[in-house]
Amino acid sequence: MLNKVMAFILILALSGCSLLPKETMDLLDEEISSVSISKTMELGEINESILHVFTDDETIPIFREAITTATKETYSIDIDTSDYDLLIEYESDEGALPAHPIHLWLGEEGEHSYFMYMIDTETLCKTSNNMTNSLRLLLHSINQ
């Protein structure tokens, strides 16, 4: 029995404890009222020349899921070349809430995409390949 326990501990150590959940991005628990999209001009700042504002009940959940399931990773992309700026704004009966400005590096179909909070330029968060495909469909619709 002791050998089985030791083997399990060894497997966990060698796998880097990959069984532990990874840290993900956070958004407010409030309802998202809009997601504004613009082309990135400079890392750490939002481009105010908005390409499109999503406000519908079909696309908002896709953005929420893409952001809140993105896992924090070490850098594996060129952080100087973000593709899009997202501004996540919220609805509240209690007054104005802070918005979340986020950079997006949009991956190719079947690849990962990356998000970065504009106020935390040292942490990237990676999406799943499927979320990249969903994001590409949404963003392709505004580029036509």
Side-chain angles (χ1 to χ4, degrees):
M1 177 68 175
L2 184 60
N3 287 341
K4 289 182 182 180
V5 171
M6 292 301 288
F8 179 72
I9 291 172
L10 179 62
I11 290 170
L12 277 179
L14 292 175
S15 69
C17 297
S18 62
L19 299 177
L20 300 175
K22 292 191 173 200
E23 192 174 351
T24 58
M25 293 186 83
D26 292 319
L27 293 176
L28 296 181
D29 290 333
E30 304 296 326
E31 187 173 335
I32 295 174
S33 60
S34 66
V35 178
S36 301
I37 308 289
S38 58
K39 289 282 195 179
T40 300
M41 298 300 283
E42 187 173 339
L43 195 63
E45 293 184 20
I46 193 153
N47 178 0
E48 294 181 12
S49 296
I50 304 298
L51 295 172
H52 188 77
V53 179
F54 291 97
T55 59
D56 61 278
D57 293 339
E58 293 175 8
T59 57
I60 297 288
I62 295 169
F63 281 108
R64 180 180 283 281
E65 181 181 357
I67 293 167
T68 60
T69 60
T71 57
K72 293 187 179 177
E73 299 286 332
T74 56
Y75 285 10
S76 61
I77 62 170
D78 179 3
I79 65 164
D80 292 332
T81 57
S82 167
D83 298 309
Y84 295 98
D85 296 338
L86 282 62
L87 184 63
I88 313 299
E89 296 184 279
Y90 301 93
E91 235 174 66
S92 174
D93 295 334
E94 299 175 17
L97 293 171
H100 273 108
I102 297 173
H103 289 302
L104 167 63
W105 286 261
L106 185 61
E108 295 297 323
E109 188 172 334
E111 296 181 352
H112 299 288
S113 293
Y114 295 87
F115 290 109
M116 175 191 287
Y117 295 117
M118 285 189 199
I119 59 170
D120 179 7
T121 58
E122 297 184 9
T123 304
L124 285 176
C125 296
K126 179 174 71 172
T127 69
S128 70
N129 299 354
N130 289 337
M131 286 307 336
T132 292
N133 295 343
S134 297
L135 291 169
R136 289 186 66 78
L137 286 173
L138 292 175
L139 295 172
H140 179 70
S141 71
I142 66 171
N143 289 326
Q144 290 186 2

